Amino acid sequence: MLLNCLLYLFSHSFRQLHHKPTYMNNYRLLFSVFFLLIFACQETTPKEQRELISTDHKLEKPIGKTDSLYKTKKVYVPVYSDIYQRTRNERTLLTSTLSIHNTSETDTLYLSRIDYYNTEGKLVRKYIESTIFLTTFETLEYVVDEEDKTGGSGANFVIEWYGNEKLNPIFQAVMIGGLGNKSFSFTTEGVEIY
């Protein structure tokens, strides 16, 4: 509605521009406001993007973990939001992606916890509020933006999952960054913890 109104005013002012030179200032002002509103509506800050929690995979009715078919496990995945470059005082910021793969062709993977911790072992962020699921061969990804320095060089994810005992999901992190005109990437693997 607002966009339609602005378009009308813009076109009306543009028509008037040919008849009266005094409309030139109004035209410039309207043109500036129009583009400002378009860019303001589309852009979100990195902080807002990080705080979005996907509900696409949310369970409507939780599965009972006490069932003998299901066994709860915990996985620790190291990630690096920055690394040291030449000295301890020079750091290179990285973008980190946590990747969770359900490798099963027949069974669903359930995730009850995805928490992000910083170098000091303090909880920075919870990525899910309730149990979510991954269907067969499905992959979920969570990105820690390059500008997000909250994790530090020793950040990590702790993931709790459950499903059929035959399940063997893959938990990996991919880090990407650059030094000068060269870019690099590396991966880390999740380790089961108790």
Side-chain angles (χ1 to χ4, degrees):
M1 182 69 179
L2 179 62
L3 186 58
N4 289 339
C5 186
L6 284 170
L7 286 171
Y8 170 76
L9 288 172
F10 179 78
S11 62
H12 181 68
S13 296
F14 189 78
R15 275 185 261 133
Q16 295 295 327
L17 180 62
H18 297 291
H19 301 294
K20 298 179 183 176
T22 56
Y23 279 91
M24 189 62 169
N25 287 338
N26 290 343
Y27 166 74
R28 286 183 184 145
L29 177 65
L30 194 57
F31 190 77
S32 299
V33 169
F34 175 73
F35 279 102
L36 198 66
L37 283 172
I38 284 181
F39 288 118
C41 291
Q42 291 178 349
E43 197 170 319
T44 58
T45 65
K47 186 174 184 211
E48 289 171 340
Q49 290 173 348
R50 285 195 301 272
E51 289 177 353
L52 293 176
I53 294 177
S54 173
T55 56
D56 292 345
H57 295 82
K58 192 174 179 180
L59 279 177
E60 294 301 321
K61 187 177 179 184
I63 302 295
K65 289 190 277 185
T66 53
D67 191 321
S68 60
L69 287 176
Y70 297 106
K71 182 179 179 184
T72 303
K73 294 186 179 182
K74 252 187 244 186
V75 174
Y76 175 100
V77 185
V79 296
Y80 302 86
S81 60
D82 61 60
I83 54 173
Y84 298 105
Q85 191 174 334
R86 292 183 187 89
T87 69
R88 188 166 181 80
N89 298 323
E90 293 181 69
R91 295 180 179 222
T92 298
L93 298 176
L94 307 174
T95 300
S96 306
T97 304
L98 172 68
S99 224
I100 303 170
H101 303 264
N102 181 1
T103 59
S104 175
E105 192 171 14
T106 56
D107 296 306
T108 300
L109 171 66
Y110 299 96
L111 302 163
S112 56
R113 172 186 175 197
I114 303 173
D115 292 347
Y116 182 57
Y117 291 86
N118 67 13
T119 305
E120 290 77 35
K122 293 179 181 166
L123 179 65
V124 174
R125 172 179 321 117
K126 289 181 169 290
Y127 277 86
I128 58 174
E129 295 171 342
S130 58
T131 302
I132 60 172
F133 66 92
L134 271 74
T135 58
T136 56
F137 291 147
E138 189 173 12
T139 300
L140 273 182
E141 295 173 333
Y142 295 93
V143 177
V144 180
D145 299 333
E146 182 181 62
E147 298 82 21
D148 184 355
K149 302 175 187 176
T150 56
S153 59
N156 60 81
F157 281 95
V158 174
I159 303 154
E160 275 190 42
W161 66 275
Y162 61 95
N164 191 304
E165 284 192 11
K166 296 182 294 181
L167 275 177
N168 190 23
I170 296 173
F171 302 92
Q172 293 178 318
V174 179
M175 274 63 61
I176 187 164
L179 291 171
N181 61 354
K182 296 183 179 177
S183 59
F184 59 88
S185 65
F186 59 96
T187 63
T188 59
E189 300 283 336
V191 183
E192 190 172 351
I193 58 174
Y194 301 96

